[in-house]
Amino acid sequence: MVKKSMSRPNRTIVLILGMGIFLAGFLFLNAQENRVMRISVRDYPNFSRFMVTSSLPFSYKIEREDSSLLVFIETNLSFRIRRERFSSRFVDSFSWEERDGKILLRIKPKHENFRYDHFTLSNPFQIVIDLTPLASVEGKPVQEIEKGEEESEKTKESEQKTSSASGPPEYPSRRDTLNLSPAGKTIVIDPGHGGTESGAVGKFGSMEKDVTLPISLRLKNIIERNLAYNVVMTREEDINISLENRSSIANNNSAVLFISIHANSSNRKEATGSETYFLSLNATDEEARRLAYLENATSSLEENIEGENEDEIKLILWDMAQSAFIRQSSMLAESIQNELNQLLGTKNRGIKQAPFKVLTGVACPAVLVEVAFISNPKEERELQDSKFQSDVALAIYRGLANFLRSYAQE
Amino acid sequence: MKRYAVIALLSILLVVLAFIFFRNENNGNGSTVPPPVSLTEYESSEPGETQEVTLFFLSEDDDLLHPEIRKIPANADLSGKARRIVEELIRGPQSGLVSPFPRETRLRNFFLTDEGVAYVDFSKEFMNKHLSGSSAEIATVYSVVNTLAFNIDEIKKVFILANGKEQETLGGHVNLSRPFLPFYNLIVQ
């Protein structure tokens, strides 16, 4: 036999080599498993941020082609591309293809006229591309054109009316926050959790994400039947939506109200009932940051703060947009809680404050309603009951309608 | 030929071992976790001196935090005392109150900055096994924050981490990306 003629050291070398190849192959496969590129888009007041996050660094090149932005990713490795759902004022869509062994990413902004900046971060490797829409040919800011002539005139009028009103200072987006007249205005309903994020789970296995959706849909129907507002849902099916995107959806639709629907859970067996929350600001910290900003912003943010600082400050503000609406949010919460108390015959249950992530970035009155405790077996069953779901939706509707009415009079 | 077979078998074994090794490394979130300090160790080290601390837990009576007084070995070192308080807290109540922590929770790490910000790093079970509902998350967070700030004046704010990392939320509700100030309104009067 040929093999027999091989000397022993030779045989060992062949074996070690074989094992080496085996291991290398294994490691390669293993590494490939981790090779994921995640693409996400997030809105800031004046720009949209497009982010490509990857487990491995790569070099890239950005080119402009007509109204699109092309990102050439120079790698001969294959990546799994995972995209996050997004809603953005400036980014319309993006797509990718393989071309000459490169990955070509095509970003389509909503406006032809835009500026872009890019930089990279490491650990994990990330390309960040900021897209800023520029003023259109007529020299008007893009946002105003979007609104349409009539409406922008209307808003200017009401801006004058409301600017003298007391209450928290206006958020610098210059959005008319106190004008709650329904024409063309949007209420955003946020069914908590979704997709792989099931939220709290009851003893009988019902999941928070599965009860928040039908209640939200019922609320949507009631509002649409009774009020002239548009209703936008952050999700209408069982899918993952990041908390940031939920507030982006509210802000991009210039929502007048944001209602997040949840089901509660506690380690206490006795915990029952409905609760309405508004955001707690973690007291002094956030208030201090807000005041520090307001002191700087005497006339116009753009004039006072230069360059990079400007973006940074806007970013901080965007993250805490809700801080300017705490008073209205507490009133909305109270109005909804009153109705829930009447429905359920509970007294003495007041509104509550908590540092909920989903509320921090919302730039309008915003509350989170904990409909009932899914951790309590009796309430878990109720949450599944369609009559209970409608009753709760109706109570929330009454609460928000009362709030809108009293605000319209103010 | 026999030897050949033995070597082949050994190499297969090696590959399998390598497979297991790399697999573990991939999901090895907790491979560097220091083992939680055993409680008996503390108790035996300083026999005489103790000090009283106040721990805050839930109660079936209402949705507020209720105090439980507990004796711990006296500890001159602030961080040591804070660690011990958190460990006592996640060990659960002894007076019929309700624990807001998953039973499997361990303290991975703790440190205190000169500015009075306490960083409390829990094991991943703190999040994984959590009930994740608004009330449950609020109770857990403020049990830690209020207990630490109440017992140690130097602690002004508490940053809660899990598995060595900053987390967005505890279970989808309460924001963990910023440090917490104590919120004593949640404590029973």
Side-chain angles (χ1 to χ4, degrees):
Chain A
M1 267 209 281
V2 188
K3 266 184 194 162
K4 205 139 203 195
S5 68
M6 224 186 240
S7 69
R8 207 186 297 157
N10 259 351
R11 219 190 280 161
T12 323
I13 287 168
V14 167
L15 263 170
I16 290 173
L17 264 176
M19 272 168 55
I21 290 167
F22 206 93
L23 258 173
F26 172 76
L27 281 177
F28 174 75
L29 282 174
N30 223 22
Q32 202 167 35
E33 202 179 294
N34 293 336
R35 233 185 274 138
V36 177
M37 212 179 266
R38 212 176 61 235
I39 300 175
S40 53
V41 181
R42 196 180 167 195
D43 269 11
Y44 292 95
N46 281 349
F47 62 94
S48 286
R49 175 160 286 182
F50 191 93
M51 288 164 286
V52 184
T53 315
S54 155
S55 45
L56 289 174
F58 49 76
S59 56
Y60 68 99
K61 210 169 65 198
I62 297 188
E63 260 174 37
R64 217 180 167 126
E65 189 190 83
D66 300 329
S67 58
S68 300
L69 204 58
L70 304 183
V71 186
F72 295 94
I73 294 172
E74 318 239 347
T75 173
N76 38 21
L77 306 170
S78 61
F79 279 88
R80 272 193 297 141
I81 297 185
R82 213 180 282 158
R83 60 189 297 167
E84 274 175 29
R85 274 174 63 100
F86 70 93
S87 148
S88 164
R89 274 169 302 159
F90 308 139
V91 177
D92 182 53
S93 60
F94 63 87
S95 59
W96 64 85
E97 61 194 82
E98 282 193 14
R99 195 189 275 181
D100 313 327
K102 289 177 195 160
I103 298 174
L104 170 60
L105 202 64
R106 186 186 295 271
I107 308 170
K108 223 179 136 19
K110 281 185 177 156
H111 308 286
E112 283 189 22
N113 218 345
F114 67 92
R115 176 168 65 89
Y116 70 93
D117 309 293
H118 61 99
F119 55 92
T120 58
L121 297 169
S122 50
N123 238 342
F125 181 77
Q126 197 172 43
I127 313 179
V128 180
I129 304 166
D130 288 340
L131 296 151
T132 315
L134 297 174
S136 69
V137 196
E138 293 89 36
K140 281 188 192 170
V142 179
Q143 282 128 302
E144 256 187 12
I145 291 169
E146 258 185 339
K147 275 187 183 170
E149 294 294 317
E150 276 173 58
E151 233 211 301
S152 75
E153 258 180 49
K154 221 193 284 170
T155 20
K156 258 180 225 152
E157 240 178 60
S158 49
E159 225 165 32
Q160 279 176 352
K161 235 188 281 164
T162 51
S163 58
S164 60
S166 63
E170 265 189 290
Y171 186 67
S173 67
R174 295 199 204 103
R175 189 175 301 143
D176 171 25
T177 55
L178 293 179
N179 179 7
L180 299 177
S181 73
K185 294 287 166 61
T186 301
I187 293 172
V188 169
I189 303 175
D190 172 42
H193 310 278
T196 54
E197 244 254 54
S198 52
V201 181
K203 295 255 177 331
F204 302 117
S206 30
M207 295 175 177
E208 186 176 356
K209 64 167 185 173
D210 295 327
V211 297
T212 56
L213 186 56
I215 295 171
S216 301
L217 286 167
R218 283 169 202 274
L219 176 59
K220 175 182 195 268
N221 279 339
I222 301 172
I223 295 173
E224 283 175 341
R225 257 184 281 132
N226 293 285
L227 299 174
Y229 291 88
N230 300 323
V231 178
V232 171
M233 305 269 287
T234 56
R235 68 176 178 101
E236 296 202 43
E237 42 195 320
D238 188 14
I239 48 169
N240 284 73
I241 310 253
S242 72
L243 296 175
E244 278 163 5
N245 274 340
R246 291 171 197 258
S247 43
S248 294
I249 289 169
N251 296 346
N252 293 339
N253 285 291
S254 305
V256 291
L257 296 183
F258 178 84
I259 318 277
S260 191
I261 306 286
H262 286 251
N264 211 343
S265 172
S266 171
N267 298 75
R268 300 170 50 231
K269 290 188 202 75
E270 309 288 329
T272 54
S274 307
E275 293 172 345
T276 312
Y277 286 88
F278 64 106
L279 185 70
S280 72
L281 281 184
N282 225 342
T284 55
D285 242 22
E286 322 253 321
E287 194 50 26
R289 288 209 294 179
R290 197 165 75 85
L291 287 175
Y293 156 71
L294 287 170
E295 273 164 24
N296 285 334
T298 41
S299 52
S300 142
L301 183 69
E302 286 78 3
E303 285 164 22
N304 288 333
I305 304 150
E306 301 163 7
E308 287 167 29
N309 272 343
E310 186 187 316
D311 282 350
E312 197 183 314
I313 286 178
K314 281 181 186 162
L315 207 143
I316 292 170
L317 278 168
W318 197 243
D319 274 344
M320 45 189 291
Q322 179 60 206
S323 65
F325 297 89
I326 295 295
R327 197 176 64 100
Q328 286 118 301
S329 295
S330 73
M331 290 168 67
L332 174 61
E334 208 166 337
S335 185
I336 291 176
Q337 186 63 41
N338 280 343
E339 295 296 328
L340 288 168
N341 285 347
Q342 276 188 29
L343 166 72
L344 302 160
T346 45
K347 287 171 204 151
N348 304 329
R349 213 186 263 270
I351 51 175
K352 295 188 163 187
Q353 254 184 306
F356 289 138
K357 177 84 186 182
V358 73
L359 301 178
T360 56
V362 181
C364 68
V367 295
L368 188 147
V369 182
E370 292 288 351
V371 170
F373 278 84
I374 203 167
S375 58
N376 177 290
K378 183 172 160 275
E379 295 206 340
E380 181 182 2
R381 242 172 275 132
E382 276 182 336
L383 281 164
Q384 305 280 3
D385 179 54
S386 60
K387 166 119 187 356
F388 181 80
Q389 291 179 353
S390 313
D391 286 350
V392 166
L394 192 61
I396 297 170
Y397 158 74
R398 285 201 187 114
L400 70 87
N402 285 344
F403 171 81
L404 291 170
R405 219 172 295 130
S406 60
Y407 242 106
Q409 280 167 9
E410 212 175 72
Chain B
M1 256 314 134
K2 221 179 198 176
R3 190 173 296 154
Y4 203 116
V6 168
I7 293 172
L9 253 172
L10 269 175
S11 64
I12 288 167
L13 199 77
L14 247 168
V15 167
V16 168
L17 277 176
F19 181 85
I20 292 166
F21 174 73
F22 284 112
R23 258 296 133 92
N24 275 346
E25 198 167 55
N26 271 350
N27 332 324
N29 298 320
S31 55
T32 54
V33 185
V37 183
S38 88
L39 296 164
T40 47
E41 206 175 290
Y42 270 112
E43 268 145 21
S44 57
S45 65
E46 287 183 42
E49 280 180 70
T50 56
Q51 61 185 134
E52 278 189 350
V53 292
T54 308
L55 309 176
F56 292 104
F57 296 107
L58 280 170
S59 157
E60 287 292 350
D61 296 342
D62 51 43
D63 55 3
L64 295 168
L65 294 168
H66 292 242
E68 180 181 310
I69 311 291
R70 194 173 295 181
K71 284 200 172 82
I72 62 166
N75 197 335
D77 168 46
L78 276 188
S79 280
K81 182 182 174 188
R83 264 177 189 271
R84 180 60 191 250
I85 288 173
V86 176
E87 272 157 7
E88 290 295 330
L89 204 55
I90 56 187
R91 230 171 131 193
Q94 296 168 348
S95 59
L97 294 173
V98 179
S99 170
F101 302 97
R103 218 178 316 121
E104 301 85 345
T105 307
R106 293 286 172 270
L107 178 63
R108 283 186 79 214
N109 232 324
F110 177 92
F111 60 91
L112 182 57
T113 67
D114 293 341
E115 290 79 37
V117 184
Y119 286 78
V120 189
D121 178 15
F122 291 106
S123 64
K124 56 180 185 294
E125 293 81 9
F126 176 74
M127 289 182 72
N128 292 350
K129 307 266 166 142
H130 199 273
L131 278 184
S132 77
S134 295
S135 289
E137 290 176 34
I138 293 166
T140 305
V141 163
Y142 284 105
S143 166
V144 178
V145 175
N146 287 349
T147 299
L148 280 173
F150 187 85
N151 289 287
I152 301 176
D153 289 342
E154 286 79 357
I155 294 180
K156 306 292 181 213
K157 291 185 207 166
V158 180
F159 208 118
I160 295 178
L161 313 170
N163 201 22
K165 288 189 270 293
E166 183 186 319
Q167 307 287 347
E168 188 187 30
T169 63
L170 174 46
H173 302 92
V174 172
N175 193 350
L176 294 189
S177 65
R178 289 191 202 147
F180 293 92
L181 291 165
F183 188 27
Y184 292 129
N185 286 355
L186 293 177
I187 295 175
V188 73
Q189 290 304 311

